[in-house]
Amino acid sequence: MSEAMPSSVSIDADSQEMSPSGDERAVSAGEVIRLVGAGVSYGEIRALAPTDLDIVGGSSVALVGSNGSGKSTVLGLLAGLLKPTVGQVRIGSDVRIGFVAQQHGHHRWMPLSVREAIAMGRFGRLGLLGRMRGADRDAVQSAAERLEVVELLRRPVSDLSGGERQRVLVAQALVADPDLLLLDEPITGLDLASQQVILEVIDQQRRHGAAVVFSTHHLDEAREADRVVLLAGRVVADGAPGEVLTPDHLAVAFGGRLIKIGSDTVVLDEHGHGVQHDDCDHPDPGTDSC
């Protein structure tokens, strides 16, 4: 595996057991996936209280909250990478899921080209031993074009900048044509050009009928979503951005990490848990300074 591979996966939901009591498929018309009282605990530590959440096609949902608020836990449940300790995850039939996780470290010794990295997103359809056909190669080319990495296709992933790597990871998730695209803080620390490309792809996916769920601690980014779910180990508020991102709700979710600048409420940037989207190299994956 390359540095890209742990950070982007394509999942065939038909093979996922999404519930501790069995695989529940019942969702309403238009829904892609639903959490039904789903919660996660690690021993006595509760990562996410029992949560109800429905995700419909053709919509974008921003998960907002401080570090440890449950954003990554919700994404893990939706991706089928975490099992709820209570409740269920119900998913529509034949739903394809693409997941772009946070980047945590580099493996510069892995000789994998950008084209090969993107093509790995087709493995969910082909299997590890399946041969790439014309349609698969076309899908790789299309994903590369959408993320503006065509000129990088022959370069090693290990030679890319942080913004370039992240665009490759998103392309890898898109190449499977997902019905549900999940992204964990996809633009944090990126150059402006890469941010704009990825945000445009998120909007394109929504307009094409897919469901997109992404986590963020940037309120401006969250306001661009159709819906915001504000988390603090539980759902504090869920609805339209203007209804959720209010000073009162944000005070509950972020506590004292809010400041007022004129009439605006600003969340102090507390991001510091090893995400490596920036364009500098970190000798220690646990550090954020260049």
Side-chain angles (χ1 to χ4, degrees), residues 169-188:
L169 291 174
V170 176
Q172 185 187 78
L174 288 183
V175 79
D177 191 23
D179 305 293
L180 173 62
L181 178 62
L182 307 171
L183 308 102
D184 199 352
E185 302 202 6
I187 67 169
T188 297

Side-chain angles (χ1 to χ4, degrees), residues 1-3 106-112 158:
M1 293 293 195
S2 79
E3 64 195 58
H106 304 171
H107 300 290
R108 294 191 175 278
W109 45 266
M110 181 58 69
L112 196 68
S158 58

Side-chain angles (χ1 to χ4, degrees), residues 67-225:
N67 291 341
S69 63
K71 302 189 299 295
S72 295
T73 301
V74 170
L75 289 173
L77 287 171
L78 295 175
L81 301 177
L82 286 178
K83 290 185 178 181
T85 49
V86 296
Q88 297 175 337
V89 181
R90 299 180 180 178
I91 187 167
S93 178
D94 299 322
V95 169
R96 293 184 299 272
I97 302 174
F99 180 36
V100 182
Q102 296 178 17
Q103 296 184 55
H104 292 283
H106 304 171
H107 300 290
R108 294 191 175 278
W109 45 266
M110 181 58 69
L112 196 68
S113 72
V114 168
R115 185 185 299 276
E116 291 167 332
I118 296 175
M120 291 182 76
R122 298 293 285 186
F123 285 1
R125 292 186 170 208
L126 299 174
L128 289 175
L129 301 179
R131 296 186 61 181
M132 293 281 287
R133 301 183 181 275
D136 302 304
R137 289 187 287 271
D138 290 345
V140 170
Q141 183 70 23
S142 176
E145 290 172 357
R146 292 180 65 185
L147 273 300
E148 300 183 9
V149 295
V150 172
E151 71 282 3
L152 305 176
L153 285 172
R154 295 187 178 184
R155 289 181 55 186
V157 172
S158 58
D159 287 353
L160 303 183
S161 70
E164 290 168 340
R165 281 194 304 272
Q166 185 69 356
R167 280 186 278 151
V168 169
L169 291 174
V170 176
Q172 185 187 78
L174 288 183
V175 79
D177 191 23
D179 305 293
L180 173 62
L181 178 62
L182 307 171
L183 308 102
D184 199 352
E185 302 202 6
I187 67 169
T188 297
L190 298 188
D191 59 276
L192 183 59
S194 292
Q195 290 185 34
Q196 291 174 335
V197 169
I198 291 172
L199 291 176
E200 175 59 26
V201 165
I202 288 174
D203 188 55
Q204 289 173 359
Q205 288 296 107
R206 178 191 62 80
R207 287 188 275 113
H208 292 164
V212 182
V213 183
F214 63 93
S215 65
T216 182
H217 64 290
H218 293 297
L219 300 189
D220 287 343
E221 182 184 354
R223 290 188 181 100
E224 297 299 316

